[in-house]
Amino acid sequence: MAAGLLLAAAPAQAKRQVEAFDSQAWAQLQASLKTPALVVFSTTDCGHCPAVLAQLAAAPERKRQRAPLIAVVMDQAPGEDDSGLLANPHYKRADRVFAFQGQAAALRYSVDPGWRGITPYIALLRPGRPVQWVLGPPQAEDLAAWARSRPGQ
């Protein structure tokens, strides 16, 4: 009986899910930002994306900033293969996984009008700061500059 009470009192862990990245998602994500974050826009067939996700997951700068790693999958819609995405070892490294919901070109344009969909496309985010964009694997200098920047600078 006591064991049952302990189990009932333990907080339930939130189940990971694939979140919809729709036309409002980018603005909402940036507006809700309280801490730095790293966002990797990728596709399931991207050859460099797995290494970039691994690099960013292990980055000392990310760990010091306690920055969540967010993956946005552009070639699958939410509900298409959520269990496959969440089981994929590359996306397991991400704290949150989004999937494009809607017209891909319009969603890319809403993120960055100059972006043509090449992946990995990385957003280094800090509250109150402009987005720092990196195409391909980020250099050590990119991560260091992101880690050094402060809101309002």
Side-chain angles (χ1 to χ4, degrees):
M1 177 106 167
L5 290 174
L6 287 176
L7 288 175
Q13 220 178 30
K15 184 179 178 192
R16 281 189 79 200
Q17 62 182 6
V18 174
E19 301 174 60
F21 193 93
D22 59 18
S23 60
Q24 284 82 42
W26 184 240
Q28 289 171 348
L29 181 65
Q30 291 181 85
S32 68
L33 201 61
K34 304 280 189 268
T35 63
L38 301 165
V39 181
V40 178
F41 291 89
S42 78
T43 57
T44 56
D45 63 350
C46 172
H48 297 288
C49 295
V52 167
L53 285 163
Q55 172 194 3
L56 293 175
E61 295 88 353
R62 180 181 93 85
K63 291 178 180 177
R64 275 195 302 276
Q65 300 289 328
R66 295 188 182 117
L69 178 59
I70 301 165
V72 181
V73 181
M74 301 173 4
D75 61 344
Q76 272 189 2
E80 190 174 315
D81 184 16
D82 291 2
S83 60
L85 283 179
L86 295 173
N88 183 309
H90 312 305
Y91 299 121
K92 278 186 174 183
R93 292 181 169 100
D95 298 299
R96 294 174 73 183
V97 177
F98 285 84
F100 266 18
Q101 182 174 320
Q103 210 279 333
L107 292 171
R108 286 193 313 266
Y109 187 85
S110 73
V111 169
D112 178 3
W115 176 37
R116 298 297 173 242
I118 299 169
T119 59
Y121 198 52
I122 300 148
L124 307 175
L125 302 176
R126 292 195 67 83
R129 299 276 303 139
V131 177
Q132 181 182 351
W133 293 108
V134 178
L135 180 59
Q139 300 296 313
E141 307 86 60
D142 297 324
L143 293 174
W146 167 76
R148 283 191 310 268
S149 66
R150 299 284 180 246
Q153 283 184 331

